[in-house]
Amino acid sequence: MARPATGRNSCARLLRAALPCLVLTALSGTVAKAQTVTPDLFSTTRTSQVMSPDSPLRRTAAEVNDPFNNPKPGDTDRTRPAPSRIGQIPKYGVPAASGAASSGYDSLNRKRQKPKFYPGQAKPKPPVGPGSPPPVASNTGLRLSIPPSDSAHKTPLPPAMAGTVAGQPPRKRLKVDDDPFGAVGDYAGSFLIKSAVEVSGGYDTNPGRLAAARGKPLYVIAPEFLAVSDWERHALVADLRGSFTGYGGNLTPNANGTPLSAPLDIDRPSFIGHVDGRLDVSRDTRLTGQGRLFVSTDNPGSPNVQAGLARYPIYTTLGGTVGIDQSFNRLQVSAGATVDRTDYTNSKLTDGSSSTNDDRNFSQYGGVGRVSYDWMPGLKPFVEVQADNRVHDVKLDRSGFARDSTGGYVKGGTSFEFTRLLTGEIGVGYAARDYVDPRLNRLDGLLVSSSLVWTATPLTTAKFISDTTVTETTLPGTSGVLTHIYTVEVDHDFRRWLTAIGKFTWGELDYQGNPRRDKIYTVSGEAIYKMNRNLWLRGTLRRDWLDSNLAGNSTASTVVMLGVRLQH
């Protein structure tokens, strides 16, 4: 039989059974109180943080719509909202150049954006010493400069004074003009056109180059025209130069009635012009062409001048060349075909009659080839070969000689350019011509052709030019004339607008098949005063000598001229 429960034991059992319930009730009350108080405190704190202008949680509608929270222009560290990480891919490690401040090494080789300053504003110096604020990074949106108030409402400095004020940017240097008084020219489409005309007057002590000198005043009108294409590919150049030399009156006949060895009317025209074209087929292949025209008369004192002429007969040479240039790495090969036509006008005599010059008219057909190799920078040796055939309109000339012939030359040399001080080309070779008539001996001799320019100083330039030609003649029994001409010229600039030119020319005329040998010498000095790009003044003093081994053929003359040149 069970013992009845006492009061103490009954209360203990009830307390143990109710304790868990009391604990749960107490805990639930605490949680409920915490839930009642905590939202109010959190709401107040969040509201104060969002409403604060310095709060990173304050965001506008545009910033809310920007999922990546990109910085806007003008944002600073204080106004820029906290970046959102929603949708962003987390990056681990240390980004490149994160510790390089505003400048330093960047392993990604990125260039940092430099701050911009207003003109005339002094650049800020970096902070020095302890306690100085750190430099502002250039990739921030902070405005680094403001318009300087001390320069507001002031007249700007003229360009000539640019760079003379502290803090002002230096004046931009212009490209040095190699010819500050040269013609500028005008553009017509893609062509640069330059033109000029030179008018001179003076006195010649012996214009007819007679043994007994007779002086005459003279004037010279010399126009020029140059057109050069400005294309990326291909090229076209037209260079036309002419002149007319007139004298004040005709020469008087000899008192004894013998005809002069010079015309009574000694006025002489002259023209030389050529048009060159180049067609670039490819990088290594080019087609070339040239059209040329030469107008002149026999030189005064030449044995080809007939006695008793009223005026000089004029002759013209019209020709052209078509060729191709091909490059094989450093090797360049050029070849071309040439054709030229020479025609003389009839000779008018002092007695009113005229004589024909058809026996002097001829056509020339030929070809030329050249091989050059670019050995090293500034040195390009070459070998050139030329051959031609001359066919006269009349089989026999006025003396009964058949002057049809074949000839040519071969020469070798090099073109060079040494430090821009010595440039040009020089070639030496051999020239020969064989005639159909067996009575005419073979014409041959040394060939020298060169064109050198030596820049001795920035103000002084020396030039050397030599040329060898084989020309026709009317002397009976004479094959032709082998002519060697050498010229040395020195130019010196006392000022950019004042230039002096000294020139010395000597040459030899070899009439093969004839005992005659002529030597020519010329010494001249010129002074050029360049008033501006469009107007030059020129003064010339020249002395000419013709020294012949045959008596009565040597002459001398002095020429003084003063002229003006107009160019554009």
Side-chain angles (χ1 to χ4, degrees):
M1 180 175 181
R3 293 178 62 183
T6 62
R8 177 181 294 181
N9 294 336
S10 176
C11 291
R13 285 194 298 268
L14 291 174
L15 182 60
R16 284 195 299 269
L19 183 61
C21 296
L22 294 175
V23 172
L24 292 176
T25 302
L27 290 176
S28 61
T30 304
V31 172
K33 184 177 181 181
Q35 290 178 351
T36 303
V37 177
T38 302
D40 294 338
L41 294 177
F42 182 77
S43 177
T44 304
T45 305
R46 180 178 179 87
T47 301
S48 62
Q49 292 177 351
V50 171
M51 295 304 295
S52 174
D54 298 335
S55 174
L57 301 179
R58 184 178 183 181
R59 303 171 65 191
T60 63
E63 294 169 348
V64 173
N65 296 331
D66 187 357
F68 299 102
N69 199 13
N70 294 320
K72 304 299 184 297
D75 290 348
T76 63
D77 292 339
R78 297 176 58 86
T79 62
R80 185 184 305 149
S84 175
R85 293 182 294 176
I86 301 176
Q88 296 283 351
I89 300 176
K91 297 180 180 180
Y92 302 96
V94 180
S98 59
S102 60
S103 63
Y105 174 74
D106 188 349
S107 61
L108 298 182
N109 198 24
R110 294 174 297 187
K111 294 184 178 180
R112 295 187 178 274
Q113 192 175 16
K114 296 182 179 180
K116 298 182 180 180
F117 301 93
Y118 286 93
Q121 180 183 5
K123 297 181 180 180
K125 297 182 179 180
V128 180
S132 301
V136 180
S138 60
N139 56 358
T140 62
L142 182 62
R143 190 175 183 180
L144 297 180
S145 59
I146 59 175
S149 58
D150 55 348
S151 63
H153 307 293
K154 290 185 179 180
T155 304
L157 292 175
M161 299 180 61
T164 60
V165 179
Q168 192 177 25
R171 182 181 181 184
K172 183 178 180 180
R173 288 184 173 271
L174 300 178
K175 182 180 179 181
V176 177
D177 193 347
D178 297 333
D179 190 3
F181 288 92
V184 177
D186 289 320
Y187 273 94
S190 59
F191 284 86
L192 175 62
I193 297 177
K194 297 182 179 181
S195 58
V197 61
E198 188 167 339
V199 180
S200 305
Y203 190 83
D204 191 340
T205 60
N206 191 7
R209 301 303 186 262
L210 301 173
R214 302 180 185 181
K216 289 289 181 180
L218 80 157
Y219 64 91
V220 179
I221 302 176
E224 300 177 6
F225 177 83
L226 176 66
V228 182
S229 63
D230 187 12
W231 303 333
E232 293 184 1
R233 296 183 59 198
H234 320 304
L236 185 63
V237 178
D239 189 359
L240 312 176
R241 303 172 186 269
S243 67
F244 180 83
T245 304
Y247 294 87
N250 297 337
L251 297 177
T252 57
N254 291 326
N256 56 8
T258 59
L260 289 174
S261 59
L264 300 181
D265 184 359
I266 52 180
D267 295 347
R268 294 184 296 123
S270 177
F271 177 83
I272 180 171
H274 58 90
V275 179
D276 302 298
R278 189 191 75 242
L279 182 64
D280 299 331
V281 179
S282 65
R283 184 175 64 108
D284 299 324
T285 305
R286 296 168 296 276
L287 299 179
T288 59
Q290 182 189 72
R292 50 187 175 269
L293 175 62
F294 182 72
V295 180
S296 186
T297 64
D298 289 321
N299 293 325
S302 170
N304 294 329
V305 178
Q306 298 173 256
L309 285 176
R311 64 174 57 92
Y312 287 107
I314 301 173
Y315 73 90
T316 61
T317 299
L318 177 64
T321 301
V322 177
I324 182 173
D325 292 346
Q326 179 66 44
S327 299
F328 304 94
N329 200 355
R330 293 187 178 185
L331 182 68
Q332 183 177 356
V333 180
S334 304
T338 63
V339 57
D340 294 275
R341 173 66 184 178
T342 301
D343 287 295
Y344 282 80
T345 61
N346 293 337
S347 298
K348 294 185 178 181
L349 306 178
T350 55
D351 58 3
S353 62
S354 63
S355 62
T356 180
N357 288 310
D358 291 344
D359 58 341
R360 303 184 68 179
N361 301 336
F362 66 92
S363 300
Q364 176 175 303
Y365 311 93
V368 60
R370 181 184 177 113
V371 179
S372 58
Y373 183 76
D374 195 358
W375 192 0
M376 63 177 63
L379 190 62
K380 191 174 184 179
F382 68 89
V383 175
E384 183 175 319
V385 179
Q386 187 264 352
D388 63 73
N389 183 27
R390 293 179 180 176
V391 180
H392 288 72
D393 294 353
V394 179
K395 185 176 181 180
L396 300 178
D397 68 355
R398 65 195 65 182
S399 300
F401 289 90
R403 293 198 171 272
D404 291 349
S405 62
T406 59
Y409 65 82
V410 56
K411 67 177 179 179
T414 182
S415 59
F416 46 82
E417 178 182 350
F418 297 141
T419 65
R420 297 300 300 173
L421 297 181
L422 181 62
T423 61
E425 178 179 300
I426 184 170
V428 179
Y430 174 79
R433 180 163 294 279
D434 295 319
Y435 294 85
V436 174
D437 198 318
R439 295 173 294 175
L440 299 177
N441 297 329
R442 184 180 191 183
L443 187 153
D444 59 355
L446 178 67
L447 182 148
V448 179
S449 176
S450 62
S451 177
L452 306 177
V453 179
W454 175 39
T455 306
T457 68
L459 301 178
T460 306
T461 303
K463 302 177 182 178
F464 175 75
I465 302 172
S466 65
D467 191 19
T468 302
T469 58
V470 178
T471 57
E472 300 286 314
T473 183
T474 59
L475 292 178
T478 304
S479 303
V481 185
L482 183 64
T483 305
H484 298 279
I485 301 294
Y486 307 92
T487 302
V488 175
E489 178 182 326
V490 178
D491 302 352
H492 181 74
D493 294 332
F494 295 99
R495 294 290 187 271
R496 293 188 301 175
W497 43 267
L498 183 60
T499 302
I501 302 176
K503 184 184 298 184
F504 176 64
T505 300
W506 76 98
E508 181 178 353
L509 285 71
D510 183 7
Y511 295 85
Q512 295 194 2
N514 191 291
R516 177 165 179 165
R517 298 291 184 273
D518 292 345
K519 294 182 180 180
I520 57 175
Y521 306 94
T522 299
V523 177
S524 66
E526 295 184 15
I528 302 176
Y529 173 51
K530 305 174 183 179
M531 301 184 67
N532 50 51
R533 287 186 178 270
N534 304 114
L535 181 61
W536 292 7
L537 300 180
R538 183 193 299 267
T540 304
L541 175 62
R542 189 178 77 243
R543 178 71 174 176
D544 299 331
W545 292 274
L546 173 61
D547 185 13
S548 178
N549 62 342
L550 298 183
N553 293 305
S554 298
T555 63
S557 176
T558 301
V559 180
V560 180
M561 298 182 65
L562 181 64
V564 59
R565 177 184 175 89
L566 302 175
Q567 62 183 14
H568 182 69

